[in-house]
Amino acid sequence: MSDTLPLSIVNNRRLEKWLRFDPDRTLHLAVGKVEIGQGVLIALSQIAAEELDIDVDRVNILAGDTADAPDEGSTSSSQSIEVSGRSVRLVSAELRSRVLARLAQRLNCNPADIAIEDGAFLLENQPTGHDYWSFVSDADYAADITGSVVPKPPASYRVVGQPVPRKDLIAKVTGAAFIHDIVRPDMLHARMLRQPSRNAQLAALDKAAIRRAAKGEFRVIRLGNFVAFVGPDETVVQRAAVAALAHARWEGARELTPAHGEAAWFVDQPSDDRLIGDAPATPAGEMVSAVYSRPFVAHAAMAPSCGLAEFRDGHMEVWSHTQGVYPLRNSISEILGLPKDKVIVRHAHGAGCYGHNGADDAALDAAVIAQQIPGQCIRVQWRREEEFGFEPVSTAHRTRVAAVLDAAGRPVDWTTEVWAGSHVQRPIYGGLFLAQEALPNPPPPAKPGDPPEANGGGGTRNGTPLYDFAAKRIVHHLALSTPVRTSSLRGLGALPNVFAMECFMDELAERAGMDPVAYRLSMLSDTRARHSIENVAARCNWSDRGPVGTGKGLGLAWARYKNKAAYACVAVELEVDKEIRLNRVWACADAGLVINPDGAKNQLEGGIIHAASMTLKEQVTLDGAGITSLDWASYPIMTFSEVPEISTEIVHAPNLPTLGMGECTFGPTAAAIGNAVYHALGVRVRDMPLTRERIAEVLGRV
Amino acid sequence: MNTELSVNGHSVHTGADPSTPLIDVLRNHLDLRGTRYGCGLEQCGSCMVIIDGKADYACSREVGSVAGRSVTTIEGLAVAGKLHPLQVAFLEEQAGQCGYCLSGILMSAKALLDRNPSPSRADIVAALDGNLCRCGAHPRILRAVEKAALAIRAGALS
């Protein structure tokens, strides 16, 4: 069985890594996937409660802790329910089965005769006097998980599939709840002076001027080009960090121009080139193509990153809103020269996380400082400008789609060609932390990579269309360097690729003289995809869609995230006056078994709004030494007055395996907006963001 | 130099320098850590508190400027352990994802409902437009504020 076990179990075989019944009649559930705003903890709690037949309120979950919770890598790529959920289900079913087998021997009955009611064992509806808390033994906890126990059939579910409310939201609407709010004994506040770029050297730092501005006590920690202001009063170190910007002189910083911020910049760059899919061919037929792009975009989390670290007696303890406590622990251990068993990383909640943001960097900042000031807790809080200026951003991404058409105007040969920087430069993929480049003897620059196709790819994500075309391929030009540090952001290449491919499908439909939905369905045999499209088309009254060019538009697009996770179809109704105004959005997703339908809908809605914001408004601008969009005025996101009405539906498919859905609406939303803008205006805007200026520019060209 | 102000109905003296940002006094001197730092630029609304009945930013306002005035933070919403109808409605609607924006949004919403117990959807949108939410929980948040307004009106009638 072990070869079919989820990796999470293979890496954490003992039951005690996951489950423990505590004396206060609770269940301690430990997992490696963490809460990053997606509501995963309640879903995992539901799965354990279901398999063990205990009340879900009894589940206390510990998520992300290298001392006390299993290693499940990173919380990314919509894998939490698919992987961690499957693991929790198998582990819980196995513990239940072990315990019931032993109890049945004791009671001289069949395990199937024993019923469980909120953790208490009943035989013929009578209490046996035994429950999990009295009966689970050390031998149970010490056992290796075999994965051989068959979990409950979905038809019997009572907790899974229910909209159980999240427990963590209570603290979040009443007071302290986040890493930023942790208070430790002997805590010192720290702010960073950031090296503007790799290789920039701090030529001068006017400490006297900084001290005059800070008006209080603090220390300067300087190690090469790593500079921090550390002291007991947060207000003072904040003033010091702000003042330092004007009192530090750097030499040798990189020099960028606004052109570096455009996707077109990547076309001329040295790249690692790959062909994925069918060999190049030149079938007979008309060849058409179009180029689409998305600029660099930011995670732009609501909270600037934060990290805490304490170094006592040779042990480093770190708190972080990282996506992966174990990978971060390994990096800190290696960078600071501490044995792995002397470093503990604990997860604490941060603001919504959509990929590799500044969390890990802030944690390492804190650990570097803590090593210099043993015995005290160091709390590093990034400033807003620092968050925008130094978090890894998602690479600009250019997609050219080309199709050879048959006589009916349908593609027989399809090529998706991508030019982009790396979509993932997490340290486990060879990426570097900011502090590493600032400390003495920085490592050589990272060679950018991308996730393998088996993991959904990076720049190539969703690049292979799922339509029934005879030949399909991706040509990927992965740039060997990027103007600023890039890494993962919700969906990686899926949003720009689906935007390009699904907008192009509308272009091809028009060329073929067909309705865009009918055109798609004529080449799509995947029944789950068809169902989602038909569901949305019916709900948005697609058949009554008016003519092109009235100023009002209705557009539709779909994708199956990573071509293997959840299906989603999205339709957008908008109007274009001076600005694009989204009025309504309809979505349908098929994610197989859904653990918590309300949490899932929250994810669908959030993905739609996030993608709409990115499509209409967002662009990281570059100039000088780096990023120049450093606040919410220069990096605007969607506001309450711009958010459309959203209607979501989830396909009821409890007998099919769960498919990750946190990112499934992302690409379809972008493309549906692109298609709706075309429907409204009769012109195709192929470069995001679809701002007023961009639309005016395109209208001016026609 | 001492600054005296009222926080959540209690008179408070702080020895913090009057130029200290209100948010730092609340979080670090008074241990009220539900007021959140987002930008320090009055652009995101994460730090919103209510000052003399009006929603206002705590991030860049100096504590000296609120001397003698009344400040309400997220910790002042619940009374004697009983959640405010807004908090109840936000939990019922599961109106949040990461939740970082919520305390500022709740304070903006409370200031609105205190002055206008029957807001239209447009009134709510206008009152919250200075609060950013990155996760896209907006539709639920709007529903929750409407629900809380209904609950408050029903309570006032009963």
Side-chain angles (χ1 to χ4, degrees), chain A residues 166 173 175 235 602 618 641, chain B residues 24 28 36 87 97 129 134:
Chain A
R166 284 165 55 173
V173 300
T235 311
N602 209 344
E618 297 180 27
S641 56
Chain B
D24 287 0
N28 296 335
R36 313 204 185 287
Q87 291 167 314
Q97 287 189 22
D129 225 25
R134 181 53 158 167

Side-chain angles (χ1 to χ4, degrees), chain A residues 488-534:
Chain A
S488 63
L489 198 163
R490 205 168 191 169
L492 310 186
L495 183 136
N497 286 338
V498 172
F499 175 72
M501 294 157 67
E502 281 289 287
C503 284
F504 194 54
M505 284 299 285
D506 264 37
E507 296 196 43
L508 296 181
E510 184 178 46
R511 178 178 278 267
M514 283 182 74
D515 169 78
V517 169
Y519 182 73
R520 282 173 171 80
L521 294 176
S522 75
M523 291 169 280
L524 185 57
S525 47
D526 185 321
T527 52
R528 295 174 81 178
R530 294 178 69 89
H531 177 83
S532 289
I533 294 170
E534 286 161 352

